[in-house]
Amino acid sequence: MLTSPYAPPRITPPAEHPRVLLRRKDFDRIRTNMTLPECERETALWQKLCAMDFADLETPLATGAYHSLVCITLEAKALKALLDDDAEAGKMLIGVALRLSGGYDPNSDKLMRARFGGHIVHTCALCYDWLYHWMTEEQKWQMIENC
């Protein structure tokens, strides 16, 4: 069990998931916004990221090196799994997030490791929240410990 020397925050997040950056009540608005002409370019980029294969990103995942494309692809795919309620994709992405969080070597880059490590923690926090209902208790604790 993890313990903290700090007092609990005065404000606690809602018990529901998702709760980081969006809530279930936002899903319809997000889907609608993706159909708007002014969001066409961003939606196309999101769809391109969602279509990427993690096999093409195996090298940074295997070496523990930071690669922004791994993070943004994982974030895009996690959002898609959440919006589509796709348990199969969600469970696969949990495995990728655990590999990312457990394999990153902060000493692989001396200059930007705080920024890179921060991006990985942010990505894993999104995955933890957005894929929460597909995670086992063991996976939840592993993600927390990794981050």
Side-chain angles (χ1 to χ4, degrees):
M1 178 63 121
L2 298 176
T3 59
S4 174
Y6 304 102
R10 295 182 341 269
I11 300 169
T12 56
E16 69 185 68
H17 288 273
R19 59 189 183 195
V20 178
L21 301 182
L22 60 114
R23 302 264 195 314
R24 198 158 296 279
K25 66 180 177 54
D26 300 320
F27 289 10
D28 289 339
R29 183 172 43 96
I30 291 168
R31 288 184 189 105
T32 298
N33 287 348
M34 288 180 174
T35 67
L36 298 175
E38 59 265 33
C39 297
E40 186 176 325
R41 187 182 68 200
E42 290 77 12
T43 300
L45 176 58
W46 176 72
Q47 291 169 337
K48 184 177 179 180
L49 289 167
C50 289
M52 288 196 67
D53 187 344
F54 279 112
D56 296 335
L57 302 170
E58 184 58 36
T59 299
L61 275 169
T63 63
Y66 170 82
H67 197 298
S68 62
L69 191 56
V70 172
C71 291
I72 63 174
T73 300
L74 185 52
E75 292 169 15
K77 287 177 173 276
L79 178 61
K80 181 167 178 34
L82 177 64
L83 292 175
D84 293 349
D85 195 25
D86 186 343
E88 184 178 338
K91 289 175 182 179
M92 182 276 297
L93 294 169
I94 290 165
V96 175
L98 286 169
R99 283 187 66 206
L100 176 65
S101 64
Y104 172 64
D105 178 9
N107 295 313
S108 64
D109 187 301
K110 301 285 189 223
L111 182 63
M112 300 290 281
R113 66 181 168 193
R115 179 179 300 268
F116 295 164
H119 191 192
I120 287 171
V121 169
H122 171 78
T123 298
C124 292
L126 293 180
C127 289
Y128 180 92
D129 184 57
W130 294 353
L131 309 174
Y132 184 86
H133 58 286
W134 296 308
M135 295 178 85
T136 66
E137 288 302 312
E138 182 180 329
Q139 289 171 324
K140 291 172 188 174
W141 282 111
Q142 187 62 54
M143 183 75 74
I144 291 167
E145 288 177 12
N146 289 352
C147 288

